Amino acid sequence: MKKDGALLKFPLKGKYVIMVAPSFIVDFSYPEIIHALKELGFDKVVELTFGAKLVNHEYHKILKDSKGLKISTVCPGVVDVINKKYSQYKKNLIKVDSPMIAMGKVVRRTYPKHKIVFLSPCNYKKIEAEKSSYVDYVIDYFQLKKLFSENKIKLDKKSEIHFDKFYNDYTKIYPLGGGLSQTAHLKRIISKKDIKVIDGISKVMKFLDKSSKSVKFFDCNFCTGGCIGGPFVNSRLSVSKKRKKVLSYLKESKRENIPEMKKGLILKAEGLDFLNHNL
């Protein structure tokens, strides 16, 4: 099991890259968070949006030719519940990496001399990261807020700064309920009526108890609202207000002038396998 990221000594010494899920915007401002993370000693700061794009690419290929119900596996909490309580649905799980693992594979190849840290909004993602060979340490949002405070780092430095490499904008809505199905370009391969989107594990379980045979793709999340409702999110805003923050972040990002060299192109992941053979 990996060491908890809070046990690292800050500011960091050596080469570290931190992978940030776009749900961060609910708790931390952008681009100020990038300055702050680099003040903590992170050499590189990347967002999981490119990993989400890679996952979408795999989902599109699978769903295009699939028959019967397929269940999303981007949320490790849902996967855990199905494995423990709904074994009859194991065969329906889409055997593709989560965005975190997909991004970890890309980062490991791109920065082979760096230690990889994941910034997590929930306990299930922390557990997933701890089990993965593509992540070395995990920090949650509570811990990061404390680290900024202990190291007297303020999120107030404004400038034209972007995430390092693999930039992607439209998948910034991934932490919202239904973010996957909205960004995976499924319109031409699956009818909207054949897609079911549910967030909140009690509702997910209710659907699984009465599964509709007409549903072809079940896009589901453990937490209400999606990852913005994760237990390690500091903000006490309502789900609707958190959602507005993410949508605003997406809108602002689309206006950014991102250098071509930083954009996340599928070709940058060529040769990597994003199928999850353990599901």
Side-chain angles (χ1 to χ4, degrees):
M1 185 172 286
K2 310 294 186 303
K3 289 182 180 178
D4 192 297
L7 298 179
L8 290 167
K9 292 184 179 180
F10 292 90
L12 294 167
K13 304 297 181 184
K15 292 186 175 183
Y16 288 81
V17 53
I18 185 165
M19 303 192 303
V20 181
S23 57
F24 81 86
I25 198 63
V26 174
D27 277 347
F28 307 99
S29 56
Y30 171 84
E32 291 82 358
I33 189 174
I34 301 178
H35 281 289
L37 288 169
K38 292 201 171 186
E39 283 190 47
L40 279 178
F42 288 102
D43 180 51
K44 304 292 183 182
V45 182
V46 301
E47 194 177 40
L48 290 193
T49 46
F50 182 53
K53 179 177 182 176
L54 296 171
V55 168
N56 281 356
H57 187 66
E58 297 297 330
Y59 271 54
H60 191 279
K61 289 190 295 184
I62 290 172
L63 291 170
K64 184 178 181 180
D65 300 318
S66 69
K67 294 181 179 180
L69 174 66
K70 291 295 181 183
I71 302 174
S72 66
T73 54
V74 296
C75 175
V78 168
V79 173
D80 184 66
V81 169
I82 288 177
N83 283 332
K84 290 179 177 177
K85 298 184 177 182
Y86 296 92
S87 59
Q88 70 271 30
Y89 286 110
K90 285 184 180 182
K91 65 182 183 300
N92 303 99
L93 293 172
I94 294 178
K95 299 182 183 301
V96 171
D97 289 330
S98 68
M100 177 189 66
I101 300 301
M103 195 69 206
K105 290 179 177 180
V106 173
V107 170
R108 182 72 80 198
R109 185 171 74 175
T110 307
Y111 303 116
K113 295 182 179 180
H114 286 64
K115 291 289 186 181
I116 299 175
V117 180
F118 173 60
L119 179 60
S120 176
C122 86
N123 51 328
Y124 278 110
K125 288 185 184 296
K126 287 187 78 170
I127 293 170
E128 181 187 28
E130 287 169 351
K131 292 179 179 179
S132 173
S133 60
Y134 298 100
V135 179
D136 298 301
Y137 297 95
V138 192
I139 295 174
D140 63 50
Y141 290 8
F142 287 177
Q143 292 167 330
L144 182 60
K145 184 179 180 181
K146 185 178 179 182
L147 284 169
F148 285 156
S149 177
E150 290 175 343
N151 290 275
K152 297 180 173 55
I153 295 173
K154 296 181 179 180
L155 276 77
D156 59 359
K157 293 188 177 180
K158 295 181 179 295
S159 70
E160 287 295 317
I161 188 170
H162 309 291
F163 288 106
D164 292 289
K165 290 185 179 291
F166 317 117
Y167 188 88
N168 206 69
D169 55 26
Y170 71 98
T171 51
K172 289 182 186 295
I173 65 169
Y174 232 73
L176 303 180
L180 189 168
S181 52
Q182 286 182 55
T183 58
H185 306 297
L186 302 177
K187 187 180 293 186
R188 295 183 180 180
I189 62 173
I190 300 180
S191 171
K192 188 175 181 179
K193 65 180 178 62
D194 294 328
I195 299 174
K196 187 71 174 179
V197 176
I198 298 178
D199 52 270
I201 194 58
S202 61
K203 293 181 180 178
V204 169
M205 292 173 69
K206 186 176 181 180
F207 171 81
L208 292 174
D209 287 334
K210 302 178 180 179
S211 176
S212 170
K213 292 182 180 180
S214 65
V215 174
K216 293 183 179 179
F217 178 46
F218 185 28
D219 179 4
C220 46
N221 286 279
F222 189 96
C223 296
T224 300
C227 295
I228 58 173
F232 293 138
V233 171
N234 293 281
S235 175
R236 301 277 70 90
L237 291 173
S238 65
V239 170
S240 63
K241 288 183 178 180
K242 289 177 183 176
R243 182 180 176 84
K244 286 181 180 179
K245 275 198 155 191
V246 174
L247 294 176
S248 177
Y249 173 47
L250 170 64
K251 187 176 181 180
E252 291 174 10
S253 298
K254 286 183 176 294
R255 292 198 293 262
E256 287 187 296
N257 183 23
I258 305 298
E260 188 67 28
M261 61 177 286
K262 287 183 177 289
K263 293 186 178 179
L265 305 176
I266 293 291
L267 287 175
K268 291 183 179 180
E270 190 173 6
L272 292 174
D273 178 12
F274 299 111
L275 296 181
N276 188 333
H277 304 284
N278 296 317
L279 285 175

